[in-house]
Amino acid sequence: MTAALVAGVGNVFFGDDGFGVEVARRLRAERLPRGVEVEDYGIRGLHLAYRLLDPPGLVVIVDVVRRGGPPGTLYVLEPEVDLEPACDVAEAHAVDVASVLASVRALGGALPPVRLVGCEPGGFAERMGLGPDVAAAVPEAVRIVRELVEAHVARAPEAPREETWP
């Protein structure tokens, strides 16, 4: 079983929307605790929903989040997984966190604890690359995600090992 899944989401062709993808890219280059899986889901919301049908112990979704703060402001949120979203099916080429979580439930899955590490975007211009405020927030977001998964792994009971017979 995967102890924790870090899912970077967003569209790298729309400026700051690539935040989650960049955080995932940087995390994949780091040594993380055993059982932590980091994946760049980009705009593949339906793929993320299907992946969550085999739930890890913790899901950390990294994405942009509009909450009214200055660009680059980071948030750690605990999404309401039981609320009904505006759309109840995740699209194959878009990521709306509420719809992804609703799709898991609609497909008969059970959701593990979910955390959203979000960054206030500055803009979604059609361009590659993050704006300066959002780019400056990436190292701190990496630190926050590491802290979340390391704390979860430290608290999680070790999975029973399979016995082998001679």
Side-chain angles (χ1 to χ4, degrees):
M1 180 175 131
T2 303
L5 170 66
V6 177
V9 299
N11 189 334
V12 298
F13 295 111
F14 289 103
D16 290 346
D17 196 36
F19 170 77
V21 172
E22 179 60 18
V23 171
R25 184 187 72 78
R26 295 217 192 157
L27 281 165
R28 290 187 89 171
E30 294 195 11
R31 186 178 176 103
L32 296 170
R34 194 162 131 187
V36 175
E37 178 184 325
V38 178
E39 198 63 47
D40 165 9
Y41 281 92
I43 58 172
R44 299 174 295 125
L46 192 56
H47 288 100
L48 176 55
Y50 279 115
R51 169 58 185 89
L52 294 177
L53 291 176
D54 180 17
L58 171 71
V59 176
V60 179
I61 299 173
V62 185
D63 196 5
V64 290
V65 177
R66 289 183 188 224
R67 302 205 28 116
T73 301
L74 294 172
Y75 309 100
V76 178
L77 307 169
E78 195 170 336
E80 295 285 341
V81 296
D82 294 326
L83 292 179
E84 293 301 319
C87 172
D88 60 0
V89 178
E91 294 183 33
H93 299 289
V95 176
D96 167 35
V97 173
S99 295
V100 168
L101 300 178
S103 293
V104 174
R105 292 191 320 269
L107 292 166
L111 289 166
V114 178
R115 301 294 178 271
L116 174 61
V117 175
C119 181
E120 189 77 43
F124 298 112
E126 288 187 35
R127 65 174 166 77
M128 297 277 297
L130 303 174
D133 295 324
V134 173
V138 170
E140 179 64 9
V142 168
R143 186 196 67 74
I144 290 168
V145 171
R146 283 188 65 95
E147 189 176 281
L148 288 169
V149 298
E150 287 171 354
H152 174 75
V153 169
R155 285 190 311 268
E158 188 160 336
R161 300 186 192 281
E162 289 185 22
E163 293 186 29
T164 57
W165 296 92

